[in-house]
């Protein structure tokens, strides 16, 4: 394995632990794909630093178990302004980029 890949895997593991970040957030931060983040944590980091891999994996498992809740909250937030406009009897423009 190339050195920069090993370094990235360790940095990704540390980032996830410190920030309790999701795979998507981590991928965005490091400029790599979600698949790369997942592979770095589950396979590469396991060989490089097993203790760090276990800690990062615990955070990712918690995030995975909560993702359905986050999705629901994101959807609610996305459409919250529509509910508010309806309550206030404000016309809603379809031309806006709300959907």
């Amino acid at each position: 394995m190339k050195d920069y890949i090993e370094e990235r895997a360790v940095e990704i593991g540390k980032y996830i632990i410190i920030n309790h970040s999701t795979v998507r957030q981590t991928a965005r931060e490091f400029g790599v794909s979600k698949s790369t983040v997942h592979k770095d944590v589950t396979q590469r980091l396991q060989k490089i630093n097993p203790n760090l891999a276990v800690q990062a994996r615990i955070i990712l498992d918690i995030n995975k178990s909560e993702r359905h809740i986050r999705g629901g909250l994101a959807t609610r937030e996305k459409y919250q302004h529509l509910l508010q406009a309806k309550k206030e009897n404000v016309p809603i423009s379809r031309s806006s980029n709300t959907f």
Side-chain angles (χ1 to χ4, degrees):
M1 191 175 334
K2 301 202 178 193
D3 290 339
Y4 73 92
I5 295 175
E6 290 180 359
E7 290 173 16
R8 182 189 66 214
V10 171
E11 290 302 313
I12 284 176
K14 288 178 182 177
Y15 182 83
I16 289 171
I17 292 166
I18 291 169
N19 298 300
H20 291 263
S21 66
T22 64
V23 171
R24 283 180 190 255
Q25 291 167 339
T26 305
R28 196 175 306 123
E29 180 69 24
F30 284 85
V32 295
S33 70
K34 294 183 305 181
S35 300
T36 300
V37 170
H38 190 266
K39 186 168 185 165
D40 280 353
V41 173
T42 58
Q43 295 176 9
R44 295 178 178 136
L45 194 56
Q46 185 66 38
K47 294 176 185 175
I48 301 166
N49 187 336
N51 188 32
L52 186 64
V54 168
Q55 292 175 351
R57 187 62 196 210
I58 289 169
I59 302 295
L60 293 181
D61 288 343
I62 291 169
N63 289 340
K64 187 175 180 180
S65 71
E66 295 174 348
R67 70 181 173 189
H68 66 285
I69 296 168
R70 281 196 198 101
L73 292 175
T75 302
R76 180 178 181 198
E77 184 177 316
K78 179 178 179 181
Y79 292 104
Q80 192 69 35
H81 72 282
L82 295 175
L83 294 173
Q84 187 65 31
K86 186 175 180 179
K87 286 181 184 177
E88 296 173 359
N89 249 353
V90 176
I92 300 170
S93 171
R94 293 252 181 211
S95 62
S96 66
N97 198 8
T98 58
F99 295 106

